[in-house]
């Protein structure tokens, strides 16, 4: 395996994660301009910059792809946190000790939110960015009450975005329900959508459609793994079946959002008949199983789409309920990489902002900005961020200098606002281009010096900040690691096995919420280590795209298994009386144990069977659904592990420093 050079790393780091968000950018800029005009009309001249940037941040929060009932409290939290940040900075003008106290509290509190989830961590980073802005903008010319008015005005104008969200709230939910049916939607994205929908009241039809779509998404990935191992006529027939299945999936997605029901299942049945005709050995059993399961799902979905929506009792996708005390107890220690990161971040930003507070010079501001946008939880990520951000800043500087030579000053102001529009359009799917656009904006609107002087100073300051960020990441509680990627897969499967043992009751194990949460947090730690290990492989080597995709898919399936076990735990916590499923638990734990052992020892072991519970006396239908989800997860992991061992993917990437 050939290691990536500088250009290889820059290429992978600049890879987009989605499409530009032109509509969102246009709405953000229009509302930002509207807020500034209103502020000017009201005489808020001291806070025009604050109003502009706070409105932009508020629109980013409100435009997050979440249901309305989750966006509203998030926006309210953003408003309160921004208000507190500016009040803190206003009060901190009285003395340096007060400023240091507030800075330490804001830095550590904001970044430590990563222990709850990646989403909470990103929100915390935005909160600290608001505090950073408040340090730069707050002055003695306006009292704390005025800064509160500026923030209230910004969020009030940004809240206009709630109007289309309110009007289209049902359509937005339907788009999320339809997302698993899109063949291009990876399983990991389906899990994120499932998390976003958790707790949201859904009609029975929407609930069932999303559940069936999750099944179908898993079977599609399972089928693609099987397809890669077939050959001859059976491969051609099954490939044709998968293509027809994908076409029907797209039609289902459109039917859900457009309230139609136009897809034909006859070609699906015809392909299954042909598969049965070619099924002359046991190797075709898995092919027939997945084809028939997908066909059954299509028929059930067609029935659901034909049903009328009713105003009956709403259903909710449950997520594990973990109290604040439990999360802090499991994560608030130096073994957690995010707590170590919070300490590094707090020290680095406090030192940087202290210099800004004392001098308010341009160089100090941008050195600190360099630390803010580059420092990450581990050395490798910080180095990668340093490479990408400094490189894109350098390119942006060259573009800004060229613009300064070719356009008059009045035109540069308009170009700067175009750059602000591009920043919002490219954020967060094209982070490299987003960074470039913001850099050009800052260089062009800076009030002193020529464009060339601003550009050179900007790249020097950011570079100094990048070096300081890397030093902090490397010297202060460094998160360096030796990667054993196959071993990490085995540990993740093993952690899921412990979670199964803690959740599913049996003769010698009674469900205990605290113990279940502890094992779930252990799984989450292993899953986070797996995510870091995959990223390290992708950042280190060339031509590993297929292996990285394989590991990402296997990791996503483990996450789905954990999510399905959590759903079963929620069912148990609700007080539902369960029949004796100790045999299911025993088979499931045996299967996971053999999978972990197979990966750890690089040996293909026979698949351990987990029996289905369809039509078993005493097992209610809702429980059958939960158990079926878990069984399909295990099947997918089994196929993935076998494929990984045969192709060698699970034999590579051991003992990487």
């Amino acid at each position: 395996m050939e290691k990536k050079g500088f250009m290889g790393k820059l290429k992978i780091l600049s890879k987009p994660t989605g499409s530009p968000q032109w509509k969102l950018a246009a709405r953000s800029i229009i509302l930002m301009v509207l807020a500034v005009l209103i502020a000017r009309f009201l005489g808020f001249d001291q806070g025009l910059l604050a109003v502009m940037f706070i409105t932009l941040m508020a629109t980013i929060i409100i435009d997050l792809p979440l249901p309305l009932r989750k966006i509203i409290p998030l926006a309210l939290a953003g408003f309160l946190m921004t208000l507190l940040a500016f009040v803190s900075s206003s009060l901190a003008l009285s003395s340096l000790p007060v400023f240091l106290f507030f800075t330490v509290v804001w830095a550590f509190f904001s970044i430590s939110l990563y222990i709850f989830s990646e989403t909470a961590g990103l929100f915390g980073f935005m909160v600290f960015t608001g505090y950073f802005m408040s340090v730069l903008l707050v002055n003695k010319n306006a009292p704390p009450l005025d800064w509160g008015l500026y923030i209230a005005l910004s969020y009030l104008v940004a809240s206009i975005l709630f109007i289309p969200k309110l009007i289209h709230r049902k359509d937005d939910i339907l788009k999320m329900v339809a997302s698993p049916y899109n063949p291009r939607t990876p399983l990991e994205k389906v899990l994120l959508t499932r998390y976003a929908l958790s707790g949201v009241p859904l009609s029975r039809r929407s609930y069932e459609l999303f559940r069936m779509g999750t099944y179908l998404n898993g079977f599609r990935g399972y089928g693609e793994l099987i397809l890669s191992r077939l050959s001859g006529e059976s491969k051609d027939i099954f490939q044709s079946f998968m293509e027809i299945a994908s076409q029907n999936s797209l039609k289902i997605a459109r039917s859900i959002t457009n309230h139609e029901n136009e897809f034909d299942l006859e070609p699906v049945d015809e392909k299954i008949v042909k598969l049965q005709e070619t099924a002359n050995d046991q190797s075709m059993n898995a092919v027939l199983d997945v084809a028939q399961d997908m066909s059954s799902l299509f028929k059930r979905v067609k029935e659901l789409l034909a049903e009328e929506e009713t105003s009956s009792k709403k259903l909710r996708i449950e997520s594990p309920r973990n109290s604040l005390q439990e999360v802090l107890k499991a994560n608030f220690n130096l073994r957690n990489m995010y707590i170590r990161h919070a300490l590094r971040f707090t020290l680095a930003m406090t030192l940087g902002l202290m210099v800004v507070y004392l001098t308010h010079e341009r160089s100090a501001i941008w050195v600190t900005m360099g630390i803010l946008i580059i420092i990450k939880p581990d050395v490798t990520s910080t180095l990668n961020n340093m490479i990408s951000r400094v490189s894109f800043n350098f390119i942006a500087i060259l573009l800004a200098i060229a613009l300064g030579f070719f356009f008059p000053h009045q035109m540069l102001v308009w170009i700067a606002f175009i750059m602000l529009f591009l920043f919002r359009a490219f954020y967060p799917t094209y982070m490299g281009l987003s960074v470039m656009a913001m850099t050009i904006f800052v260089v062009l609107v800076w009030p002193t010096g020529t464009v060339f002087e601003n550009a050179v100073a900007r790249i020097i300051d950011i570079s100094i900040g990048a070096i300081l960020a890397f030093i902090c990441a490397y010297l202060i509680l460094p998160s360096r690691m030796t990667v054993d990627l196959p071993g990490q897969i085995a540990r993740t499967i093993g952690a899921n096995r412990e979670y199964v043992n803690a959740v599913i009751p049996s003769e010698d194990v009674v469900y205990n919420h605290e113990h279940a949460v502890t094992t779930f947090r252990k799984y989450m730690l292993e899953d986070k280590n797996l995510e870091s290990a995959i990223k390290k492989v992708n950042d280190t080597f060339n031509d590993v795209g297929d292996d990285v995709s394989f590991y990402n898919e296997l990791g996503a399936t483990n996450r789905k298994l954990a999510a399905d076990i959590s759903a079963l735990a929620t069912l148990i916590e609700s007080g539902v009386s369960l029949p004796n499923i100790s045999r299911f638990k025993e088979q499931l734990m045996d299967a996971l144990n053999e999978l972990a052992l197979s990966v750890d020892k690089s040996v293909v072991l026979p698949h351990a069977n987990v029996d289905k519970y369809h039509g078993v006396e005493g097992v209610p239908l809702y429980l059958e659904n939960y158990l079926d989800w878990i069984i399909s997860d295990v099947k997918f992991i089994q196929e993935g592990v076998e494929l990984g061992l045969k192709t060698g993917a699970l034999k590579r990437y051991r003992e990487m420093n």
Side-chain angles (χ1 to χ4, degrees):
M1 294 177 291
E2 181 185 354
K3 286 196 172 185
K4 278 186 171 69
F6 174 83
M7 292 306 298
K9 286 192 175 185
L10 184 59
K11 182 179 178 181
I12 194 69
L13 294 172
S14 59
K15 185 178 180 181
T17 58
S19 303
Q21 304 181 68
W22 304 116
K23 289 184 180 179
L24 301 188
R27 294 193 309 207
S28 294
I29 299 302
I30 290 171
L31 291 178
M32 186 187 72
V33 172
L34 176 62
V36 170
L37 291 175
I38 295 174
R40 190 73 179 268
F41 175 77
L42 295 175
F44 293 166
D45 292 345
Q46 293 293 329
L48 291 181
L49 279 176
V51 169
M52 182 174 72
F53 284 109
I54 293 169
T55 303
L56 184 60
M57 287 183 60
T59 59
I60 291 174
I61 292 174
I62 296 173
D63 269 328
L64 287 172
L66 294 172
L68 182 63
R69 64 182 290 121
K70 292 195 173 184
I71 287 292
I72 291 175
L74 194 62
L76 181 60
F79 167 72
L80 293 175
M81 291 295 101
T82 306
L83 180 63
L84 288 174
F86 274 80
V87 170
S88 299
S89 291
S90 184
L91 295 174
L93 292 172
S94 60
S95 68
L96 181 60
V98 175
F99 171 77
L100 291 176
F101 169 77
F102 280 125
T103 300
V104 169
V105 170
W106 277 105
F108 187 79
F109 163 75
S110 301
I111 301 305
S112 63
L113 290 180
Y114 272 104
I115 68 175
F116 293 95
S117 69
E118 193 77 13
T119 302
L122 291 174
F123 177 74
F125 182 81
M126 292 185 67
V127 166
F128 184 79
T129 302
Y131 177 74
F132 179 85
M133 284 171 23
S134 72
V135 172
L136 302 183
L137 299 175
V138 168
N139 54 63
K140 294 182 180 179
N141 296 328
L145 178 60
D146 284 3
W147 294 106
L149 292 174
Y150 304 154
I151 296 163
L153 172 63
S154 302
Y155 269 86
L156 186 62
V157 172
S159 65
I160 293 173
L161 291 175
F162 282 124
I163 296 174
K165 279 188 170 289
L166 183 64
I167 294 172
H168 299 292
R169 65 189 186 280
K170 291 184 179 179
D171 294 336
D172 291 341
I173 294 293
L174 288 177
K175 287 178 182 177
M176 299 177 78
V177 170
S179 62
Y181 294 95
N182 189 331
R184 292 185 294 274
T185 303
L187 181 59
E188 194 165 0
K189 180 69 177 293
V190 173
L191 297 185
L192 291 174
T193 304
R194 175 172 162 170
Y195 179 77
L197 285 173
S198 63
V200 176
L202 299 173
S203 67
R204 188 191 68 83
R205 190 177 79 159
S206 293
Y207 177 88
E208 286 295 322
L209 283 171
F210 185 78
R211 191 171 70 86
M212 295 297 165
T214 306
Y215 268 133
L216 190 62
N217 187 279
F219 279 124
R220 187 184 299 117
Y222 180 34
E224 287 171 354
L225 281 178
I226 293 174
L227 182 64
S228 65
R229 294 165 51 194
L230 294 176
S231 61
E233 183 184 6
S234 58
K235 180 174 184 176
D236 294 336
I237 297 173
F238 190 57
Q239 185 167 2
S240 178
F241 169 85
M242 293 294 290
E243 290 172 356
I244 292 172
S246 294
Q247 292 169 9
N248 274 320
S249 292
L250 281 173
K251 290 178 181 178
I252 291 170
R254 288 195 290 267
S255 297
I256 293 172
T257 54
N258 299 331
H259 307 285
E260 300 171 355
N261 187 12
E262 298 179 359
F263 58 97
D264 184 13
L265 296 181
E266 188 175 335
V268 174
D269 294 332
E270 290 175 356
K271 293 298 177 184
I272 291 178
V273 171
K274 288 187 177 181
L275 283 171
Q276 290 172 332
E277 292 173 353
T278 58
N280 50 13
D281 57 59
Q282 290 187 344
S283 64
M284 289 296 293
N285 288 343
V287 176
L288 285 172
D289 284 345
V290 73
Q292 289 169 347
D293 285 336
M294 292 178 75
S295 176
S296 298
L297 287 172
F298 282 136
K299 290 174 182 176
R300 176 58 182 146
V301 168
K302 192 173 181 67
E303 293 171 0
L304 287 169
L305 290 172
E307 293 179 5
E308 291 289 335
E309 284 278 15
T310 62
S311 58
S312 59
K313 181 181 177 181
K314 301 293 185 180
L315 300 175
R316 286 177 169 83
I317 298 172
E318 300 292 348
S319 59
R321 298 185 292 271
N322 302 312
S323 71
L324 175 64
Q325 180 181 0
E326 290 164 344
V327 175
L328 294 179
K329 184 178 179 181
N331 290 277
F332 215 82
N333 54 71
L334 291 178
R335 295 192 303 274
N336 189 300
M337 61 184 279
Y338 288 118
I339 294 300
R340 298 200 298 273
H341 174 53
L343 291 173
R344 287 193 300 270
F345 183 88
T346 300
L347 177 60
M349 293 309 301
T350 300
L351 293 175
L353 286 177
M354 183 175 67
V355 177
V356 172
Y357 178 86
L358 294 173
T359 66
H360 268 276
E361 291 185 359
R362 178 178 62 184
S363 58
I365 292 172
W366 292 114
V367 167
T368 308
M369 178 66 84
I371 299 173
L372 175 66
I373 65 175
I374 287 169
I375 192 168
K376 289 291 180 180
D378 63 274
V379 175
T380 302
S381 297
T382 300
L383 179 60
N384 290 336
N385 229 23
M386 181 177 172
I387 291 171
S388 62
R389 298 294 165 86
V390 173
S391 298
F392 279 107
N393 267 282
F394 182 75
I395 297 171
I397 295 305
L398 296 179
L399 290 174
I401 292 173
L403 291 171
F405 277 119
F406 288 107
F407 294 97
H409 178 73
Q410 294 82 356
M411 183 66 71
L412 294 180
V413 175
W414 291 103
I415 294 175
F417 277 95
I418 293 174
M419 290 300 115
L420 201 58
F421 168 79
L422 293 177
F423 158 77
R424 179 62 188 98
F426 292 135
Y427 178 86
T429 54
Y430 285 75
M431 283 304 297
L433 296 178
S434 184
V435 168
M436 285 177 59
M438 179 54 74
T439 298
I440 296 173
F441 168 80
V442 171
V443 168
L444 295 181
V445 302
W446 196 267
T448 60
T450 66
V451 170
F452 180 80
E453 290 170 344
N454 294 334
V456 173
R458 175 91 163 106
I459 193 65
I460 292 174
D461 297 338
I462 287 289
S463 299
I464 293 173
I467 293 169
L468 292 176
F470 182 72
I471 291 173
C472 289
Y474 196 84
L475 294 181
I476 304 172
L477 299 172
S479 301
R480 296 186 293 271
M481 61 181 179
T482 299
V483 174
D484 174 8
L485 191 46
Q488 189 57 51
I489 286 285
R491 286 189 290 274
T492 305
I493 295 172
N496 252 332
R497 183 179 183 276
E498 289 186 36
Y499 190 32
V500 167
N501 189 41
V503 168
I504 302 179
S506 58
E507 294 180 359
D508 55 341
V509 176
V510 178
Y511 179 78
N512 179 279
H513 177 71
E514 185 175 348
H515 180 51
V517 168
T518 300
T519 54
F520 178 71
R521 286 293 163 190
K522 182 177 179 181
Y523 160 76
M524 288 299 293
L525 179 62
E526 298 297 346
D527 181 69
K528 187 59 65 176
N529 289 337
L530 175 61
E531 182 182 311
S532 299
I534 295 172
K535 189 175 187 303
K536 188 176 181 71
V537 168
N538 195 36
D539 292 345
T540 303
F541 298 107
N542 288 314
D543 302 322
V544 291
D546 290 342
D547 286 351
V548 167
S549 297
F550 163 77
Y551 276 106
N552 277 328
E553 194 75 17
L554 202 52
T557 311
N558 270 287
R559 279 190 287 279
K560 185 175 182 299
L561 175 59
D564 291 335
I565 298 168
S566 296
L568 185 59
T570 304
L571 181 69
I572 295 171
E573 288 173 9
S574 67
V576 173
S577 178
L578 297 182
N580 184 358
I581 54 173
S582 56
R583 175 171 171 76
F584 172 83
K585 175 180 179 177
E586 181 182 345
Q587 290 179 328
L588 180 59
M589 290 185 64
D590 285 345
L592 293 175
N593 183 61
E594 289 187 11
L595 282 169
L597 184 63
S598 181
V599 174
D600 197 41
K601 302 299 183 183
S602 297
V603 176
V604 178
L605 298 175
H607 289 180
N609 186 51
V610 184
D611 295 333
K612 290 189 176 183
Y613 271 73
H614 284 306
V616 176
E617 185 178 354
V619 179
L621 179 61
Y622 61 81
L623 180 58
E624 282 186 11
N625 293 332
Y626 282 105
L627 301 184
D628 280 351
W629 278 31
I630 293 171
I631 291 170
S632 66
D633 297 336
V634 172
K635 278 186 177 180
F636 189 74
I637 297 173
Q638 286 174 332
E639 288 293 330
V641 167
E642 185 172 340
L643 179 67
L645 289 171
K646 288 184 176 179
T647 60
L650 283 171
K651 299 178 182 179
R652 294 187 281 270
Y653 317 113
R654 293 186 183 269
E655 300 302 321
M656 288 173 45
N657 293 318

